[in-house]
């Protein structure tokens, strides 16, 4: 007897293939198995929300991807859940239904926060460039009373009336900004540049710390994140999955005030290279140490090997971070994203 029910016929078109627990395969009617990135993304999305792997598999068979789900409205997510129950006859637990909606909302909120952070970083970069362009230069030529120019600067002379009061005030504010930075709690503290380029295992000399110490700070941040997650679970609150301002505040409360957001944000890509390709990272440290380069030059050089790794991973820099246990707790730096995008456009990929 032929089953003419369209719902049953639709369900017959899908064949769920359960592979190893770490690799779900989605099989379409044409027999093409779509494994890998979308499967991992869906599993990562629902990992901590009590959604069973079989449910995630069916959602993949229905054609849903991570991008599709996080761009859907809450009403549309409710419709998907209803369709899975009524058309696919899935016995979804109440916790799974709420878990699907909670996971989508949490991921959507995280994406919005990342976009806002990128916007703020871009605005800060733009303001910095504008400030540098507007900053008055210390020229060698000064104007005299008759309008002619004399090379008084060559003699180290200065004109007391050359600067207006507004420019003097701007210079004072600029010096203050350079000497201090504002922390997450609104307090001002001296700006620190405490690192020097050192080879692996080399102790730092003088008052500045070496790069092994820098990378250890990121390891400590991971431990502070675990403590924050434990506290949140005890209170029944949502656990942060990445290092946020909450983690930095917790570190300061526990006496680790040397760990702060501005410092850690500047060297995330350096730590990423250390985690993803430690051999290249070590060689880069040795090369810059032998050349006597400073930390700033080494920091800039760390971008390029990461761009190469991103290209080898089909330009998916987020996937590189998420697949590494130590990097998945850190946001991908905006500048690294921009460099990957520029190189991708340059190669027409």
């Amino acid at each position: 007897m032929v089953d003419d029910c369209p719902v049953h016929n639709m369900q017959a078109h899908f064949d769920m293939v359960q592979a190893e627990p770490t690799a779900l395969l989605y099989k379409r009617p044409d027999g093409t198995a779509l494994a890998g990135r979308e499967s991992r993304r869906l599993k990562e999305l629902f990992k901590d929300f009590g959604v069973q792997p079989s449910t995630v598999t069916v959602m993949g068979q229905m054609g849903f991807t991570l991008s599709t789900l996080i761009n859907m409205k809450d009403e549309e997510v409710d419709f998907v859940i209803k369709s899975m129950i009524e058309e696919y006859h899935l016995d979804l637990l109440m916790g799974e239904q709420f878990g699907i909606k909670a996971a989508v909302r949490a991921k959507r909120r995280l994406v919005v926060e990342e976009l806002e952070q990128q916007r703020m970083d871009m605005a800060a970069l733009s303001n910095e460039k504008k400030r540098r362009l507007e900053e008055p230069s210390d020229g060698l030529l000064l104007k005299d009373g008759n309008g002619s120019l004399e090379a008084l600067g060559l003699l180290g002379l200065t004109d007391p009336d050359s600067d207006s009061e507004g420019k003097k005030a701007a210079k004072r504010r600029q010096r203050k900004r350079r000497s201090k930075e504002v922390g997450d709690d609104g307090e001002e503290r001296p700006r620190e540049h405490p690192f020097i380029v050192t080879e692996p295992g080399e102790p730092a000399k003088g008052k500045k710390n070496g790069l092994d110490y820098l990378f250890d700070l990121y390891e400590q941040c991971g431990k502070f994140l675990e403590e924050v997650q434990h506290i949140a679970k005890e209170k029944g609150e949502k656990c942060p999955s990445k290092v946020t301002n909450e983690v930095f505040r917790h570190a300061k409360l526990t006496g680790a005030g040397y760990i702060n957001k501005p410092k850690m944000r500047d060297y995330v890509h350096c730590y990423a290279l250390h985690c993803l390709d430690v051999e290249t990272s070590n060689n880069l440290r040795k090369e810059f140490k032998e050349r006597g380069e400073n930390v700033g030059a080494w920091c800039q050089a760390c971008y390029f090997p990461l761009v190469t790794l991103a290209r080898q991973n089909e330009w998916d820099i987020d996937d590189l971070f998420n697949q590494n246990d130590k990097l998945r707790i850190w946001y991908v730096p905006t500048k690294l994203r921009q460099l990957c995008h520029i190189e991708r456009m340059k190669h027409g990929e």
Side-chain angles (χ1 to χ4, degrees):
M1 181 177 179
V2 179
D3 189 356
D4 295 329
C5 178
V7 174
H8 293 168
N9 289 337
M10 184 183 299
Q11 188 174 5
H13 278 289
F14 295 94
D15 180 19
M16 182 176 71
V17 180
Q18 180 70 45
E20 299 178 5
T22 57
L24 291 176
L25 302 181
Y26 304 143
K27 178 177 265 190
R28 290 183 182 270
D30 59 2
T32 303
L34 303 178
R37 185 175 306 163
E38 285 303 331
S39 173
R40 294 197 303 268
R41 286 176 172 175
L42 287 177
K43 288 195 300 180
E44 185 71 22
L45 174 64
F46 297 112
K47 179 178 63 174
D48 299 324
F49 292 89
V51 181
Q52 298 183 20
S54 58
T55 304
V56 179
T57 303
V58 172
M59 295 184 73
Q61 291 177 337
M62 293 172 69
F64 288 104
T65 64
L66 174 62
S67 299
T68 304
L69 290 173
I70 64 177
N71 283 283
M72 293 171 62
K73 299 178 180 178
D74 291 340
E75 297 80 9
E76 294 172 330
V77 177
D78 290 332
F79 178 76
V80 172
I81 295 175
K82 182 179 178 181
S83 300
M84 294 173 67
I85 296 175
E86 295 181 354
E87 297 183 11
Y88 289 86
H89 306 292
L90 283 182
D91 186 16
L92 288 181
L93 302 175
M94 182 66 70
E96 280 190 282
Q97 298 181 37
F98 281 97
I100 292 174
K101 293 188 285 187
V104 173
R105 281 197 299 267
K107 184 64 176 179
R108 186 188 303 139
R109 184 165 56 247
L110 180 61
V111 170
V112 171
E113 291 176 356
E114 289 181 346
L115 292 175
E116 179 63 18
Q117 182 64 46
Q118 292 180 24
R119 186 191 67 80
M120 293 176 63
D121 291 342
M122 290 293 293
L125 182 62
S126 177
N127 291 336
E128 177 67 16
K129 290 182 179 179
K130 184 178 179 181
R131 181 185 64 78
R132 290 178 179 177
L133 290 175
E134 294 178 350
E135 181 180 347
S137 59
D138 297 329
L140 296 179
L141 299 180
L142 300 175
K143 183 178 293 186
D144 64 8
N146 297 323
S148 62
L149 295 177
E150 296 180 328
L152 300 179
L154 295 177
L155 303 177
L157 302 179
T158 59
D159 186 353
D161 297 325
S162 61
D163 280 337
S164 64
E165 288 299 321
K167 289 184 178 180
K168 291 180 179 179
K171 286 185 177 182
R172 286 195 295 268
R173 288 194 297 270
Q174 180 180 328
R175 285 194 296 267
K176 186 176 181 180
R177 282 196 302 267
R178 288 178 176 176
S179 62
K180 290 182 177 294
E181 63 182 0
V182 179
D184 298 329
D185 51 4
E187 296 181 0
E188 288 188 344
R189 54 176 170 267
R191 179 184 294 274
E192 296 183 11
H193 299 284
F195 303 112
I196 58 174
V197 179
T198 57
E199 297 184 14
E202 177 189 1
K205 299 178 182 179
K207 296 181 179 180
K208 295 188 176 183
N209 295 303
L211 299 183
D212 287 341
Y213 172 80
L214 171 63
F215 295 150
D216 182 66
L217 294 183
Y218 288 93
E219 306 286 340
Q220 294 183 44
C221 284
K223 296 178 181 178
F224 285 126
L225 174 61
E226 293 178 356
E227 294 178 5
V228 171
Q229 291 173 336
H230 180 71
I231 295 174
K233 288 180 180 179
E234 289 183 343
K235 294 181 178 179
E237 300 174 351
K238 177 175 169 52
C239 299
S241 58
K242 294 184 180 292
V243 177
T244 60
N245 291 341
E246 185 179 0
V247 176
F248 293 120
R249 286 193 292 267
H250 174 73
K252 183 175 181 179
L253 290 175
T254 56
Y258 50 86
I259 293 180
N260 56 72
K261 181 177 179 180
K263 180 195 301 181
M264 306 309 295
R265 183 178 56 189
D266 289 343
Y267 304 100
V268 171
H269 66 287
C270 304
Y271 179 64
L273 179 61
H274 174 73
C275 294
L276 295 173
D277 191 349
V278 66
E279 183 178 355
T280 299
S281 176
N282 291 342
N283 291 337
L284 204 61
R285 292 170 62 177
K286 292 178 182 178
E287 178 183 350
F288 276 71
K289 171 65 185 303
E290 293 173 355
R291 288 161 47 182
E293 299 281 0
N294 58 26
V295 169
W298 166 80
C299 183
Q300 293 299 318
C302 287
Y303 281 111
F304 303 104
L306 289 173
V307 174
T308 302
L309 292 176
R311 185 181 184 185
Q312 295 171 356
N313 196 51
E314 299 180 4
W315 298 108
D316 194 343
I317 190 64
D318 291 278
D319 187 60
L320 284 177
F321 272 59
N322 292 332
Q323 293 307 310
N324 188 282
D325 292 335
K326 294 182 178 180
L327 288 181
R328 66 178 55 181
I329 64 175
W330 295 96
Y331 291 108
V332 178
T334 301
K335 184 174 181 179
L336 179 56
R337 288 185 187 276
Q338 294 171 342
L339 289 174
C340 290
H341 178 72
I342 292 172
E343 286 298 310
R344 184 177 184 178
M345 294 298 101
K346 185 184 299 183
H347 292 85
E349 299 178 7

